[in-house]
Amino acid sequence: MFREHFIIFAKDILKMKRIIAKRTLKQYWEKHADCEQYLKTWYETAKTSNWKSPNDIKKIYSSASILKDNRVVFNIKGNSYRLIIKFNYKRQWAFIRFIGTHAEYDKINAEKI
């Protein structure tokens, strides 16, 4: 009984602990309602995931682009929008670095933002 509870507890600890900041996503979908459900789905997936490396992300999001410095670009709503996340895999933290349209993404340096 104790062992089962420990295993369940240990799995919960390893999930993405912090996504900084959900407010950024919320503010964006309030202005762009067509991507709201897509961003909510990404958030819930990330929050309940235990991504230890970019390879783990690619298993779920095969179209994600892996960049330097632990950054990943996610295609949102069929690539209408782009979401750049910088990960700290060890601490299970995700930092939202950019959310915007594909055209806005083309104007930035995804590896420096």
Side-chain angles (χ1 to χ4, degrees):
M1 179 82 152
F2 173 77
R3 180 179 159 88
E4 289 175 343
H5 286 276
F6 178 76
I7 291 170
I8 291 169
F9 179 72
K11 284 182 183 177
D12 288 339
I13 287 174
L14 296 175
K15 292 178 184 170
M16 193 62 60
K17 293 179 184 174
R18 296 195 69 186
I19 300 174
I20 304 165
K22 182 181 181 182
R23 178 181 64 230
T24 303
L25 297 178
K26 185 175 188 240
Q27 289 171 345
Y28 196 81
W29 76 56
E30 286 173 347
K31 292 180 182 176
H32 305 272
D34 63 321
C35 67
E36 178 177 358
Q37 194 54 51
Y38 296 91
L39 290 173
K40 285 180 175 179
T41 298
W42 178 88
Y43 180 84
E44 289 302 318
T45 301
K47 190 171 86 171
T48 58
S49 294
N50 177 18
W51 293 328
K52 296 177 186 172
S53 72
N55 290 336
D56 292 338
I57 293 171
K58 291 290 273 183
K59 289 176 187 174
I60 296 172
Y61 290 101
S62 60
S63 64
S65 299
I66 308 303
L67 305 178
K68 296 176 185 176
D69 196 27
N70 293 321
R71 294 171 189 252
V72 179
V73 180
F74 294 90
N75 298 320
I76 304 295
K77 193 184 175 228
N79 208 16
S80 295
Y81 299 93
R82 294 278 179 101
L83 175 64
I84 302 174
I85 306 294
K86 182 173 180 174
F87 287 96
N88 180 322
Y89 296 104
K90 184 177 179 179
R91 292 189 176 177
Q92 289 293 286
W93 292 353
F95 300 91
I96 299 168
R97 303 300 298 154
F98 172 86
I99 176 70
T101 65
H102 196 119
E104 291 167 334
Y105 172 85
D106 287 341
K107 295 176 184 176
I108 64 155
N109 182 339
E111 293 183 358
K112 300 230 182 215
I113 197 163

